Structure formats: C-alpha cells, structure tokens
Amino acid sequence: MNLENLPQEMLHEVVKHLSFMERLPLQKCSRKMKSATESAVLVFNEEITLTYTPHEDSSLIETYLIEFNGIVIRIYESSVPGEVTVNFEKLMSRTKIETTERSNCQDVARKIFCETFLKDNVICNSFKTNHMFNSNFLQASECLNVENFKHFRSAIGVEIIEFESSLPMWLVHLNPKHLRSITVYTDEVKSSIADSLKKLKNLTTLYILRKTDLNDDVLMTTNATDIEIESCDITFNGVNYIIKKWIAQKVPVGTRFVAYVTDPKRFPLHELIKDARCTTLVSVGKAIIPISSDRFLQVSIDNSTVHVECMKKRMVQ
C-alpha cells in the first residue's frame, strides 16, 4: 500500500499509530507525509530523561544526555574548540551515529529537545530531569505536554548556585492541561514555586521533598489527593483546610497528605479536629474522623510529621 494515495483523514489515522522512529523516514518522503507525521498525535509512553552535567569540575565534560524509547543522545564538547559532538545511539539495534556541529552544547541540546518533544502533537507520559539547567534553557512560549514530571539532583557532587532556578523554570513550561503528577527529590536551597503550583488545577499527585515556598494558598487551591511535602511555609490553617475539605468531599480511600515539619507543636491535634463530628481520639497523637459508612480520615502527628489519610473502616485496630 502506498500511503501517499490515502485520503488525508485515513493517512492521519495510520500515522498516529506509528512510533517516533517509524515516523522519521516518512518525514523525508513528501510534504504530505511530513505534514501527517507532524500533526498526528505522538505519545511517548516510556519515560524521557534529560540531564545536564556542567564543566565546572575539571574532571567533567559539559554534557547533555537525552534518553527515550531505547535511544540515547549525547551532546558534548568536541576536542575541536567551537564544535559540539552529537552521539546518537539506538541500544536495541546497536546503531551509532556521530556528527559534529559548529555551535555550543546548550543550543544543540535545546534544538534537539524542542524539535522532538516540544510540539503540540507530542504527549509524554513521564519526563525526568536534573537540577542543573539555567532558566534560559527554554524560551517563554515553549511548552511540554507531560503527565508526570520528575525533578531530581544529580549525584555528581557539583555545587553550582546558578542552577537554583531550574525547578521554577521547568514548572513554567509544563502544560497544565496535561500535567497530573509532580515529584521533586533534591536538596537545593529554598526554591520559589508556589505561584506556579497554584495554576496547576489538574494535579492528582504532588511530592515536593525539598525546601520550597509551598504555602497554605497552594493547599487551598490544589485538587491533588496524594500530597507529600517538606520544609515549606504551610501553617495550621492550611492543614485544617485540607481536613475540612476532604471531610466534605468524602474523598476515596488512599487519599493522603503528609508534611514533614520541624515544629509539630504548631499543629495541635485537638485544634485540627475540633470542628469534625464523631471524632475518636485513638491516642495522644492520633484521631479518626468518620466521613462515610465505609471509610474515615486518620489524622496523626508525631515529632516530625503531620499525616492525614483516608482509610477503610475495617483497618481500625
């Protein structure tokens, strides 16, 4: 069958079932085929990873690494000044292609990343990146359609203050229409992300395990039902709001809120639950609040944690 002879609508249906690698040769066939490959929805189901290693440490070479669907692309400084080497490797077929460009690493990495993933028709299931990106890596209008975003700290022992803004930068470029989950595991200095988080109305999962300015306003606007946070600016009012909201919504089993706090005395249990009906104080730091015939909220506070979780009634001991 010659795909060129298919009506535009039918061609679009065929192309949308093709993978990234299967579409590449079609883009060179004709304008019609190129248009079809660039308009049909392309979903990357496997996790996409983008990492950057700077050259601040003399033992390291400035390198960008893009990994997806068994493909590894390395962009690094060439031995020739002013040139960048791009190494393309397809692991399963052991295919390797190496080219050089007269440019700098960031511009080449940005071009490859944007031309592959930052398109309206491209949707990524999961995108993972490290903390070492400057705020100017992406342009203001560029947006990534991703459902699950992960931000982590590279284990290379390089401390570079100029990369503190990487998390806020990425949040600005994530399409809120698609974003469902944010996971952040780093130990950077405090980062300002509260304003960005308040705009993400479709989140279901929010894990921020690092220092941020996440505050009560975020808790009062988010619809996430799986929240784990630490070292942030939440207060008694924010936690109290979560408890009241989840009681009123009769949230499903598994809904949970965990906050790692330095001063648990700021969250007195008796005050958090005083407005709830039929509350049972199980112990000094634990209480249960019935929210329906088959489930309850368990509220517990210890030396370092405030924990609210919806459980089935049969789990009561």
Side-chain angles (χ1 to χ4, degrees):
M1 178 188 296
N2 189 341
L3 295 179
E4 293 274 8
N5 297 329
L6 292 176
Q8 191 66 37
E9 296 79 8
M10 189 175 296
L11 176 61
H12 189 277
E13 285 297 311
V14 172
V15 172
K16 77 177 184 180
H17 294 289
L18 300 180
S19 68
F20 171 76
M21 291 301 295
E22 290 169 334
R23 296 187 190 199
L24 286 180
L26 297 181
Q27 294 181 2
K28 302 176 183 179
C29 292
S30 66
R31 288 185 179 180
K32 181 179 181 180
M33 296 303 298
K34 187 175 187 297
S35 175
T37 59
E38 293 179 346
S39 60
V41 174
L42 174 60
V43 179
F44 286 95
N45 290 312
E46 296 184 14
E47 186 168 82
I48 297 162
T49 302
L50 171 66
T51 56
Y52 171 54
T53 302
H55 54 56
E56 299 293 325
D57 188 321
S58 59
S59 65
L60 299 172
I61 299 175
E62 182 178 20
T63 305
Y64 288 85
L65 186 65
I66 303 173
E67 301 172 86
F68 64 100
N69 290 13
I71 297 171
V72 178
I73 303 175
R74 290 181 177 85
I75 303 101
Y76 55 92
E77 297 171 316
S78 174
S79 57
V80 179
E83 287 191 356
V84 174
T85 299
V86 180
N87 185 290
F88 178 96
E89 182 176 0
K90 196 170 189 299
L91 300 180
M92 294 296 292
S93 64
R94 298 183 180 179
T95 301
K96 290 186 178 181
I97 302 173
E98 190 168 288
T99 60
T100 58
E101 295 190 30
R102 295 287 297 180
S103 185
N104 63 70
C105 281
Q106 176 169 296
D107 287 348
V108 175
R110 182 188 170 283
K111 179 182 177 182
I112 294 174
F113 182 74
C114 293
E115 290 182 351
T116 306
F117 304 112
L118 269 64
K119 296 182 176 180
D120 292 340
N121 68 309
V122 174
I123 300 174
C124 308
N125 174 266
S126 180
F127 172 62
K128 181 177 180 180
T129 186
N130 68 346
H131 73 291
M132 291 188 170
F133 284 84
N134 283 312
S135 58
N136 64 351
F137 180 71
L138 297 179
Q139 295 181 358
S141 61
E142 292 171 331
C143 191
L144 178 65
N145 299 322
V146 61
E147 296 179 359
N148 304 288
F149 172 72
K150 302 176 183 178
H151 189 271
F152 68 99
R153 184 175 182 81
S154 300
I156 62 173
V158 179
E159 299 293 339
I160 304 175
I161 300 302
E162 67 179 284
F163 295 102
E164 293 170 10
S165 63
S166 60
L167 178 56
M169 181 274 288
W170 283 114
L171 291 180
V172 169
H173 294 284
L174 303 179
N175 189 342
K177 177 183 176 181
H178 294 276
L179 191 61
R180 298 293 181 271
S181 170
I182 293 178
T183 301
V184 179
Y185 290 101
T186 64
D187 57 353
E188 297 177 62
V189 296
K190 190 171 182 178
S191 180
S192 298
I193 61 174
D195 289 341
S196 295
L197 291 177
K198 285 187 288 187
K199 299 174 184 178
L200 304 176
K201 304 297 184 181
N202 295 321
L203 283 182
T204 59
T205 302
L206 181 61
Y207 294 164
I208 307 291
L209 300 181
R210 61 157 294 175
K211 297 177 181 179
T212 70
D213 64 344
L214 193 155
N215 53 29
D216 292 347
D217 288 342
V218 175
L219 295 185
M220 293 178 183
T221 55
T222 185
N223 292 312
T225 54
D226 189 3
I227 304 171
E228 190 170 346
I229 54 180
E230 73 168 331
S231 301
C232 57
D233 296 336
I234 64 166
T235 69
F236 171 91
N237 292 333
V239 178
N240 188 241
Y241 179 87
I242 284 288
I243 293 173
K244 290 180 178 180
K245 177 181 177 181
W246 287 0
I247 291 174
Q249 292 180 343
K250 298 181 180 180
V251 291
V253 172
T255 300
R256 73 181 194 114
F257 168 84
V258 179
Y260 301 102
V261 297
T262 56
D263 184 11
K265 293 180 180 179
R266 294 191 298 116
F267 305 90
L269 180 61
H270 66 282
E271 290 292 327
L272 286 174
I273 64 175
K274 71 177 184 179
D275 295 327
R277 297 180 179 180
C278 305
T279 301
T280 301
L281 192 64
V282 178
S283 63
V284 175
K286 184 184 295 184
I288 59 175
I289 306 170
I291 60 175
S292 73
S293 60
D294 64 342
R295 57 191 183 275
F296 63 90
L297 280 186
Q298 177 175 286
V299 182
S300 59
I301 300 174
D302 59 27
N303 292 332
S304 60
T305 309
V306 177
H307 189 170
V308 182
E309 184 166 354
C310 182
M311 300 180 176
K312 289 185 178 180
K313 278 194 173 181
R314 67 170 180 266
M315 295 178 66
V316 181
Q317 299 181 351

